[in-house]
Amino acid sequence: MRLTILALDDVFDTGLTVLLDTFSTANELAAAQGNPVAPFDVRVVGLGRQVRTALGFAAPVEPVDAVRKADWVVVPALNAKLPHLLLKALERTDVIEAVGHLRAWHAAGIGVAGACIGTFLLAEAGLLNGLEATTTWALAPLFRQRYPDVRLDDTRMIAACGQVVTAGAAMGHLDLALWLMRQKSPELAAFVARFMLIDKRPSQARYIVPDYLAHADPLIERFERWARSHLADGFSLQEAAKALSVTPRTLQRRAEAVLGKSPLAFFQDLRIERVQHLISLGEDLERIAGQVGYADSATLRNLLKRRLGRGVRELRAELQ
């Protein structure tokens, strides 16, 4: 498989090196098993002769002409973790030029993949319109606002639609590398995952911090504060909207636009977050249930199992 990594100035060091190290390890393990041909031909291209990473390291790159023979172009993240920094980065001349190249490469039949903030470049190129995609959960509100035609599901770690693949936050670069590896050899991908101690992460949901997302919008931030103070009372869309001086429809639509979910679903996220904190403190589940608006612990146990895929015993072990 011929892979080309498109690196731009201020590339996220971990994202770039994770991709290089993972495929290098795969080639080394394949050679150790007697494979005379490296399964992955990996090249790093850029718009000049070198790029400077976010941490200040200089890395040599090949010209973008090398992409013509690639099976996949992979875009690692830029180091722009906050919305205002990312918006500024997307206006850079080199980023705009890179977006044009991505559009042309995709039109030529080359697969295009992006991880974390790299997914924004695919979206800028219009390659995600009408498709299911994921991105770093922390910037999902900005993604939804900027690219309304993309069917974003930020709980997913990988979203693959034909020749376009996106991956989630930061260490999603690992997940993307393994996904690409599985297209060549599922057995080698499994071996690399074991060798490098890479855990399976089918979803970003357990890592999402609701409070962080709420700050993306003034109304949602106010709703978050209201919700936290009413966890024990249960949820009422009408009461929430009245307290915030908006209509229920306005609150519903704003939550969907910013968070990609209903006010009730976000309220449930806050409940789960609170429950996990109380479990980590060793509190009794019956008492916890009352603090988050449930009459008994059985209902709460079902919620935890449904939303997290784990029971109280597993959560206690993880949070100790």
Side-chain angles (χ1 to χ4, degrees), residues 102-110 127:
L102 289 171
R103 196 178 291 119
W105 293 330
H106 179 262
I110 297 172
L127 304 183

Side-chain angles (χ1 to χ4, degrees), residues 104-232:
W105 293 330
H106 179 262
I110 297 172
V112 180
C116 191
I117 294 166
T119 60
F120 277 76
L121 272 69
L122 274 62
E124 285 288 308
L127 304 183
L128 302 180
N129 288 346
L131 302 182
E132 291 185 353
T134 188
T135 189
T136 169
W137 65 263
L139 290 169
L142 173 62
F143 194 101
R144 287 191 177 90
Q145 293 170 21
R146 190 171 178 90
Y147 313 114
D149 293 331
V150 180
R151 292 152 54 195
L152 182 68
D153 182 355
D154 57 311
T155 66
R156 296 174 66 174
M157 191 63 74
I158 293 286
C161 293
Q163 290 293 95
V164 180
V165 182
T166 51
M171 299 314 294
H173 290 84
L174 268 176
D175 300 86
L176 178 58
L178 288 177
W179 186 91
L180 290 165
M181 206 173 291
R182 280 194 293 272
Q183 311 315 301
K184 176 69 176 179
S185 171
E187 296 79 14
L188 180 57
F191 187 20
V192 170
R194 292 197 301 271
F195 190 88
M196 297 181 68
L197 301 182
I198 304 172
D199 293 329
K200 291 183 178 179
R201 296 182 297 271
S203 172
Q204 296 188 95
R206 62 182 293 190
Y207 305 101
I208 293 174
V209 181
D211 176 68
Y212 188 93
L213 296 179
H215 290 278
D217 180 85
L219 175 58
I220 299 302
E221 185 174 4
R222 290 166 51 215
F223 171 57
E224 185 254 353
R225 290 197 298 268
W226 177 89
R228 287 188 185 279
S229 66
H230 289 78
L231 290 180

Side-chain angles (χ1 to χ4, degrees), residues 270-311:
L270 297 177
R271 273 176 162 164
I272 293 293
E273 182 186 63
R274 180 63 176 164
V275 168
Q276 288 178 293
H277 173 67
L278 294 175
I279 286 176
S280 72
L281 297 179
E283 291 203 22
D284 178 75
L285 195 63
E286 286 291 345
R287 183 176 179 181
I288 293 174
Q291 294 186 50
V292 294
Y294 288 105
D296 56 70
S297 62
T299 306
L300 179 55
R301 287 180 188 275
N302 290 334
L303 175 66
L304 292 173
K305 198 70 175 180
R306 186 173 67 253
R307 295 291 292 273
L308 302 178
R310 302 186 301 288

Side-chain angles (χ1 to χ4, degrees), residues 241-261:
K242 181 179 179 181
L244 300 174
S245 301
V246 297
T247 65
R249 180 175 174 81
T250 295
L251 180 56
Q252 182 83 22
R253 292 178 63 180
R254 197 64 191 154
E256 292 283 356
V258 175
L259 303 172
K261 60 184 64 178

